[in-house]
């Protein structure tokens, strides 16, 4: 995610009718990132991701649980 100052610059450069490629070069970010921020009103919100399972999950029933002293 970009910081507010970068997003503000991106929007200002877009208002100056610069191309997406020119904005990306000037700010040093990906063209796809520029597109994403120009398409969405406001700041894009990250989608929630499902929790990844642990490598130990298949063995949970075999691992003893110790309480901390």
């Amino acid at each position: 995610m970009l910081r507010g100052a970068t997003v503000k610059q991106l929007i200002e450069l877009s208002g100056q009718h610069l191309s997406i490629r020119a904005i990306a070069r000037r700010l040093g970010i990906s063209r796809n990132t520029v597109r994403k921020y120009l398409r969405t009103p406001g700041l894009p919100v990250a989608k929630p991701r499902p929790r990844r399972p642990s490598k130990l999950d298949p063995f949970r029933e075999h691992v003893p649980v110790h309480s901390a002293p």
Side-chain angles (χ1 to χ4, degrees):
M1 299 279 290
L2 298 178
R3 300 204 183 270
T6 307
V7 175
K8 188 175 179 180
Q9 283 180 331
L10 190 147
I11 293 169
E12 288 174 2
L13 293 172
S14 174
Q16 296 173 11
H17 303 290
L18 286 176
S19 68
I20 290 175
R21 183 173 292 193
I23 295 170
R25 278 192 200 134
R26 190 171 290 187
L27 297 178
I29 56 178
S30 167
R31 289 179 296 156
N32 288 337
T33 303
V34 173
R35 279 191 194 95
K36 176 174 74 172
Y37 279 87
L38 290 177
R39 283 182 183 159
T40 58
L43 295 175
V45 179
K47 297 176 186 173
R49 296 179 182 180
R51 187 167 181 220
R52 289 176 49 186
S54 167
K55 289 183 179 182
L56 297 177
D57 280 348
F59 308 102
R60 285 276 178 219
E61 62 188 45
H62 303 291
V63 178
V65 178
H66 295 288
S67 60

